[in-house]
């Protein structure tokens, strides 16, 4: 097997491993039927590498952990806020019980308003816990009073709800100011300082799949982004002066943020080792900013440009983030997201054309040298050292690079991984139609037309691309790749398959053009 063949095989295998890992080994959806035995427990104490004694959570007594679940009456809705974009329900413990998204884009398969929380997971957003077990137990048995049972927000003016809880003379107030764009401010006031914590809540559980990351992310004081996936929480970790603390699934998030003063964030784990976020109350009065809703770039940027960090693209964020901005820029001119993806694909092919051309020229030279290479292989069959020496002389004589056709391909792999992440994570594609039967680019093609066309285009691309295989078995394996990729892409979002199909079509066009140009060049003597 020659060097070029090895690199090609390694490239293809790395692509298959990347996609296969995402599908089979990414965290699976958590079980919905989790016990509530730890529902009212305060964060446990463990000092992380970034923790200090002041930032780490005090230990809670075992009795606090074994308290009974919250009484049914305290989970009833006591206040509802209507905005143009959402309906927000609060329960008798002053927590956000449910959020319904009104925009048509976010409707579920039945056309109903989307609910962000569908499991009994705790904590709920704005849930307060105390380190004192007795006080914590009392807090989860005592209902709040509320200033209004229903509010309607018209226009851009925010509205405020005040929740009040009397714990035997110790008074807790939550003053929640709600804005129409999914963000809010919460001011917590206590009549005396008791060690306490407040949570942005367990992550939404609408889009949990094998393709994308879901869990929590913390932006630390120095700007470092720390992500803890579901199932990977090791214990309690603390982060001083964090700027963002967000729990998220593929498309939706609930977050606290404070870009001015920072927050002391504590990350706990539940029974399934999923991460749970808390922010420590440093004083009897504390104000935090919160967000709960879709991870949509324009919404987040309007609230605060740095909030767009909530949208995370994995390993290749440094490429994916600017590519995502280009996609948004193109959509400003092309209102249909499907055609926007096509335009982005064409733009990428144009930018990568110099690499593609260089690789094809090198492969063409190697193809012309194949008869001479076979002669050398036969002549020096029992002496690999002499064979390599004479092959290097042959390459040098004809100015051919044995890796010239593979290196451009390797350089394009990060681009594919980046666009892969962009099209998987972009909520802008949810509910976005393209043409005919493709009415939602964020889900799979219901009739498998795009994956089949993608496989056919991949086969056609193989037919017009020069190959340098000397082993018939290797050639047979490569001929089966279109079939393998078709099966892989069957369940992928239609937007991603559309990108790959368009990429193949324009690759075929480029290849045919390059083939004609190379045919005019003199043959190797």
């Amino acid at each position: 097997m020659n060097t070029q063949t090895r690199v090609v095989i390694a490239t293809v295998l790395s692509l298959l491993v990347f996609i296969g890992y995402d599908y089979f080994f990414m965290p699976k959806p958590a079980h919905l039927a989790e016990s509530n035995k730890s529902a009212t427990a305060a964060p446990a104490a463990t000092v992380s590498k970034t923790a200090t004694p002041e930032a780490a959570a005090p230990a809670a007594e075992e009795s606090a952990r074994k308290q009974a679940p919250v009484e049914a009456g305290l989970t009833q809705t006591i206040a509802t806020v209507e905005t143009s974009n959402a309906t927000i329900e609060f329960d008798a413990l002053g927590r956000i019980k449910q959020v319904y998204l009104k925009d048509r884009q976010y409707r579920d398969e039945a056309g109903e308003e989307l609910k962000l929380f569908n499991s009994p997971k705790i904590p709920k957003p704005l849930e307060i816990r105390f380190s004192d077990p007795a006080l914590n137990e009392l807090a989860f048995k005592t209902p709040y009073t509320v200033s209004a049972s229903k509010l309607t927000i018209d226009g851009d003016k925010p509205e405020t709800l005040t929740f009040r809880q009397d714990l035997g003379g110790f008074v807790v107030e939550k003053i929640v100011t709600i804005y129409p764009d999914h963000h809010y401010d919460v001011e917590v006031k206590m009549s005396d300082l008791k060690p306490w914590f407040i949570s942005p809540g367990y992550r939404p559980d609408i889009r949990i799949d094998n393709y994308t990351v879901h869990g929590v992310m913390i932006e630390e004081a120095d700007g470092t982004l720390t992500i803890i996936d579901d199932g990977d929480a090791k214990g309690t970790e603390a982060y001083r002066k964090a700027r963002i603390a967000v729990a998220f699934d593929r498309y939706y998030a609930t977050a606290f943020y404070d870009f001015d003063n920072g927050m002391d964030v504590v990350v706990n784990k539940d029974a399934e080792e999923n991460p749970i976020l808390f922010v420590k109350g440093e004083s009897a009065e504390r104000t935090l900013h919160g967000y709960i809703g879709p991870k949509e770039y324009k919404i987040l940027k309007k609230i605060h440009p740095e909030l767009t960090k909530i949208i995370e693209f994995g390993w290749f964020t440094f490429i994916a983030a600017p590519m995502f901005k280009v996609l948004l820029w193109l959509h400003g001119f092309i209102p249909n997201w499907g055609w926007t993806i096509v335009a982005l694909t064409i733009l990428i092919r144009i930018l990568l054309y110099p690499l593609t051309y260089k690789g094809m020229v090198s492969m063409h030279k190697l193809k012309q040298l194949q008869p001479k290479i076979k002669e050398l292989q036969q002549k020096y069959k029992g002496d690999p050292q002499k064979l390599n020496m004479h092959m290097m002389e042959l390459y040098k004589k004809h100015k051919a690079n044995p890796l010239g056709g593979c290196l451009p391909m390797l350089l394009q792999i990060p681009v594919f991984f980046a666009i892969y992440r962009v099209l998987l994570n972009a909520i802008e594609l949810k509910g976005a139609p393209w043409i005919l039967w493709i009415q939602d680019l964020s889900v799979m093609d219901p009739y498998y037309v795009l994956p089949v066309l993608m496989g056919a285009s991949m086969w056609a691309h193989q037919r017009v691309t020069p190959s340098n295989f000397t082993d018939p078995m290797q050639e047979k394996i490569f001929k089966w790749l279109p079939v393998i990729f078709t099966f892989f892409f069957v369940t992928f979002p239609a937007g991603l398959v559309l990108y790959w199909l368009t990429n193949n079509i324009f690759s075929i066009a480029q290849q045919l053009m390059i083939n004609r140009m190379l045919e005019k060049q003199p043959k190797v003597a």
Side-chain angles (χ1 to χ4, degrees):
M1 190 184 299
N2 60 39
T3 304
Q4 179 171 353
T5 302
R6 289 172 182 159
V7 175
V8 172
I9 291 176
T11 301
V12 173
L13 287 177
S14 66
L15 184 61
L16 291 175
V17 168
F18 178 84
I19 297 173
Y21 174 83
D22 267 17
Y23 185 80
F24 293 108
F25 298 106
M26 290 294 283
K28 305 296 188 295
H31 298 296
L32 297 182
E34 181 197 355
S35 168
N36 282 335
K37 66 181 180 180
S38 61
T40 58
T46 302
V47 180
S48 75
K49 61 181 181 180
T50 57
T52 66
E54 294 78 17
E61 297 291 339
E62 187 66 19
S63 60
R65 292 189 172 278
K66 293 183 178 180
Q67 288 176 357
V70 176
E71 296 176 8
L74 297 180
T75 63
Q76 299 301 310
T77 301
I78 65 168
T80 303
V81 178
E82 296 280 353
T83 75
S84 58
N85 300 317
T87 300
I88 307 170
E89 295 178 346
F90 293 84
D91 67 15
L93 290 177
R95 310 175 300 182
I96 295 178
K97 174 185 175 182
Q98 189 58 267
V99 177
Y100 299 86
L101 300 183
K102 294 181 177 181
D103 291 349
R104 185 178 179 182
Q105 176 185 3
Y106 308 125
R107 301 261 171 156
D108 62 19
E109 289 78 4
E112 302 292 330
E113 290 183 0
L114 195 68
K115 296 192 300 182
L116 287 189
F117 305 103
N118 296 278
S119 76
K121 292 283 190 181
I122 46 86
K124 301 292 185 184
L126 302 186
E127 182 172 309
I128 289 178
R129 298 186 185 183
F130 295 95
S131 292
D132 182 337
L135 182 60
N136 198 56
E137 182 176 3
L138 179 60
F140 276 88
K141 292 180 179 179
T142 306
Y144 282 76
T145 59
V146 65
S147 58
S149 61
K150 189 173 181 62
L151 285 179
T152 300
I153 300 178
D154 295 319
D156 297 329
K157 185 179 178 182
E159 295 287 349
T160 299
L161 282 175
T162 300
F163 296 87
R164 189 176 189 275
Q165 185 183 48
D166 191 338
L167 303 175
F170 175 68
V171 178
V172 180
E173 279 190 345
K174 296 179 193 174
I175 303 170
V176 185
T177 303
I178 301 167
Y179 298 80
D181 56 0
H182 302 290
H183 89 281
Y184 61 88
D185 300 326
V186 56
E187 182 181 3
V188 178
K189 294 183 177 181
M190 298 186 181
S191 58
D192 190 13
L193 178 58
K194 307 283 186 181
W196 62 279
F197 304 83
I198 187 169
S199 176
Y202 188 79
R203 60 159 174 74
D205 52 5
I206 306 300
R207 293 305 291 266
I208 306 300
D209 51 42
N210 296 328
Y211 303 126
T212 52
V213 174
H214 31 83
V216 304
M217 181 181 76
I218 301 98
E219 184 189 13
E220 300 183 46
D222 60 359
T224 301
L225 296 178
T226 299
I227 297 174
I228 305 174
D229 298 344
D230 282 354
D232 287 348
K234 304 303 180 186
T236 302
E237 297 180 87
Y239 301 86
R240 290 275 295 173
K241 300 300 179 184
R243 294 158 54 81
I244 299 174
V246 55
F248 60 91
D249 69 1
R250 177 174 169 185
Y251 285 149
Y252 308 96
T254 176
F256 282 157
Y257 59 97
D258 189 339
F259 298 117
D260 297 322
N261 303 310
M263 308 170 290
D264 289 345
V265 175
V266 178
V267 182
N268 267 13
K269 66 176 181 177
D270 64 12
E272 297 169 350
E273 298 189 342
N274 298 324
I276 307 293
L277 288 172
F278 289 92
V279 171
K280 181 184 178 183
E282 304 95 342
S283 61
E285 295 188 10
R286 181 71 161 97
T287 299
L288 291 167
H289 309 293
Y291 178 85
I292 185 165
K295 296 191 294 183
E296 187 169 340
Y297 183 85
K298 289 182 180 179
I299 295 175
L300 295 169
K301 185 179 180 181
K302 187 176 180 181
I303 296 170
H304 197 291
E306 293 197 55
L307 260 189
T308 57
K309 294 175 183 177
I310 288 175
I311 306 171
E312 197 274 329
F313 297 110
W315 302 337
F316 292 97
T317 297
F318 67 99
I319 300 176
M323 194 174 292
F324 178 60
K325 292 179 181 179
V326 172
L327 185 70
L328 293 174
W329 176 76
L330 288 171
H331 187 252
F333 302 96
I334 308 170
N336 183 294
W337 277 106
W339 293 118
T340 301
I341 292 172
V342 171
L344 176 65
T345 310
I346 295 172
L347 180 60
I348 291 172
R349 293 307 310 174
I350 292 172
L351 293 176
L352 294 178
Y353 178 76
L355 284 175
T356 303
Y357 178 75
K358 186 176 180 180
M360 290 303 103
V361 169
S362 182
M363 289 179 70
H364 181 72
K365 282 186 178 180
L366 291 174
K367 186 178 181 180
Q368 289 184 320
L369 290 174
Q370 278 304 303
K372 295 182 179 295
I373 292 173
K374 287 182 179 180
E375 288 179 10
L376 291 174
Q377 288 172 339
Q378 290 295 325
K379 186 175 181 179
Y380 301 103
K381 191 173 183 179
D383 193 341
Q385 188 174 357
K386 282 189 176 181
L387 173 62
N388 287 333
M389 182 182 69
H390 284 283
M391 284 183 66
M392 288 300 105
E393 289 176 356
L394 181 67
Y395 292 145
K396 186 176 181 180
K397 177 182 177 181
H398 295 282
K399 297 180 180 179
N401 184 352
L403 296 179
C406 300
L407 289 177
M409 185 189 304
L410 289 172
L411 292 173
Q412 293 179 49
I413 286 180
V415 176
F416 168 74
F417 287 165
I419 196 69
Y420 170 83
R421 284 298 184 190
V422 167
L423 297 180
L424 276 179
N425 289 16
I427 193 174
E428 286 79 1
L429 300 185
K430 186 182 185 306
W434 180 39
I435 58 172
L436 302 175
W437 72 98
I438 303 296
Q439 294 300 308
D440 188 345
L441 288 164
S442 71
V443 299
M444 60 181 283
D445 181 342
Y447 304 113
Y448 312 113
V449 176
L450 287 180
V452 171
L453 290 177
M454 187 278 300
S457 65
M458 191 173 181
W459 174 83
H461 189 220
Q462 284 185 346
R463 298 286 292 178
V464 300
T465 302
S467 61
N468 301 312
F469 293 112
T470 56
D471 186 342
M473 181 57 68
Q474 296 170 20
E475 190 171 2
K476 288 180 181 179
I477 292 173
F478 265 69
K479 284 182 178 179
W480 278 98
L481 284 179
V483 177
I484 296 171
F485 270 70
T486 299
F487 278 103
F488 263 114
F489 276 69
V490 159
T491 58
F492 277 18
L496 181 62
V497 183
L498 175 61
Y499 162 78
W500 195 257
L501 170 62
T502 307
N503 183 71
N504 285 347
I505 292 172
F506 279 87
S507 295
I508 292 168
Q510 282 187 344
Q511 187 65 61
L512 290 172
M513 182 178 66
I514 292 172
N515 287 350
R516 290 179 182 176
M517 294 169 60
L518 294 176
E519 286 174 1
K520 298 177 182 179
Q521 294 184 0
K523 293 184 178 182
V524 175

